[in-house]
Amino acid sequence: MEPPNLNWEDVHAFSVAVRSRSYREAAQALGTTHPTVRRRLASLEAAVGFPLFQRDTPGLQPTLQGQALLLAVQGVEGAMSGFARQARAADDRLRGPIRATMSYSVAVGLAPAIRAFSRRWPDITMTIDTTTEFANLGALAADVAIRGVPSGTQPDASLAGRRAATVSVAVYGAEASADCWIASSSEPDWHSRTPFPELPVRLVIPEVALRLEACRLGMGLAVLPCVVADPHLPRRSGPEPGLELWVLVHPDMRRNPRLKLFRDAMVEAIRERSDALSG
């Protein structure tokens, strides 16, 4: 029996579809359209000769055969990602793309440094993805991640990077609004350590900038980075270390010259603001 003639993009679409569990989310993850994802999955099923997804359940639930193939696909994806990282790391030209991921608030704070970097190195193009989620640097979802991790902890051991600064936080809000919390998650673990442990959480806003705005509108108290909130709101507690800000890459990418230039520039810019960041 001849082995099936497989298209790598079809195989990759299958892996993403299993993780996404819906055509819509798979299309978003792949940067394509719903019909294209359907077409790729149908093409792969035709190549292997059996259904990869159950037809009588909602969402994209893999069949037993599909689950068995997924294990092999994950190994292939790891090898392909490793190849892509090595190829990108070997490109030592001071030109080309850089994809960086950081929160919106960090991006706003680093905007002058990013502008200066762009003017100094005009042949380097940048994409700044503002998200609070850790991008998969191993799969090259981003080249550089600037992320805060809780003080006293370390980033994922699979990443390489430098700690740039300590970010202090405090409780903020007008006295008239001190009847509830505006939290970053539905189950905060910090409120018991504040002067207001009895207040309930009535609003959850993960993004710092939006949490600040809700606090300014008198919707409750919030724990916010001092560097973000001090110009706008009164402190209701003393500052304490909240996050360690790291500039991270995949270990395979740390010697790439243009990424090193960008990382060094961002670390320097963050450290120049260390007094403000530490509260």
Side-chain angles (χ1 to χ4, degrees):
M1 181 179 178
E2 289 291 325
N5 185 15
L6 302 180
N7 180 307
W8 164 245
E9 291 188 5
D10 295 346
V11 174
H12 181 53
F14 164 66
S15 176
V16 172
V18 172
R19 293 194 296 269
S20 302
R21 297 301 180 93
S22 78
Y23 288 107
R24 180 181 60 81
E25 292 186 13
Q28 289 179 344
L30 290 165
T32 187
T33 64
H34 184 139
T36 299
V37 174
R38 283 186 176 275
R39 198 159 49 245
R40 291 209 173 278
L41 297 181
S43 172
L44 184 59
E45 288 185 332
V48 299
F50 50 78
L52 298 172
F53 294 96
Q54 300 176 33
R55 306 300 191 218
D56 56 352
T57 59
L60 290 172
Q61 299 289 337
T63 61
L64 290 176
Q65 297 99 319
Q67 292 176 22
L69 281 184
L70 183 62
L71 296 175
V73 171
Q74 290 169 341
V76 174
E77 281 189 316
M80 291 292 287
S81 294
F83 180 86
R85 287 196 306 273
Q86 293 295 340
R88 196 168 174 87
D91 183 359
D92 61 0
R93 297 171 297 174
L94 297 180
R95 60 183 302 166
I98 292 175
R99 294 187 296 268
T101 177
M102 62 194 78
S103 72
Y104 175 82
S105 299
V106 169
V108 169
L110 288 177
I114 294 171
R115 178 185 61 185
F117 182 88
S118 181
R119 288 179 174 176
R120 184 174 182 184
W121 306 101
D123 291 330
I124 296 177
T125 59
M126 287 182 290
T127 298
I128 308 298
D129 178 23
T130 53
T131 174
T132 57
E133 301 296 325
F134 261 95
N136 187 341
L137 301 186
L140 292 181
D143 298 310
V144 178
I146 302 178
R147 284 287 175 255
V149 301
S151 291
T153 66
Q154 295 284 322
D156 189 313
S158 66
L159 302 176
R162 296 160 66 188
R163 186 175 67 83
T166 297
V167 180
S168 290
V169 299
V171 178
Y172 289 87
E175 186 172 351
S177 63
D179 61 348
C180 69
W181 284 110
I182 307 166
S184 59
S185 68
S186 58
E187 296 182 358
D189 59 0
W190 41 256
H191 67 291
S192 62
R193 303 192 300 273
T194 72
F196 310 95
E198 74 286 352
L199 296 184
V201 173
R202 290 190 185 149
L203 189 60
V204 176
I205 304 178
E207 171 52 51
V208 170
L210 294 180
R211 200 157 67 249
L212 169 65
E213 187 60 24
C215 198
R216 289 179 65 184
L217 292 172
M219 300 175 71
L221 300 181
V223 173
L224 296 164
C226 298
V227 68
V228 171
D230 276 344
H232 308 286
L233 290 162
R235 289 187 188 180
R236 305 299 301 278
S237 74
E240 61 178 62
L243 296 172
E244 304 292 337
L245 203 57
W246 287 73
V247 180
L248 302 161
V249 293
H250 190 279
D252 290 349
M253 305 296 293
R254 60 185 168 188
R255 291 185 177 84
N256 177 272
R258 70 176 178 275
L259 296 188
K260 187 176 186 304
L261 281 175
F262 182 74
R263 288 159 48 214
D264 288 348
M266 295 304 102
V267 169
E268 181 180 357
I270 292 168
R271 289 180 175 171
E272 286 176 352
R273 303 192 68 195
S274 60
D275 288 345
L277 289 167
S278 64

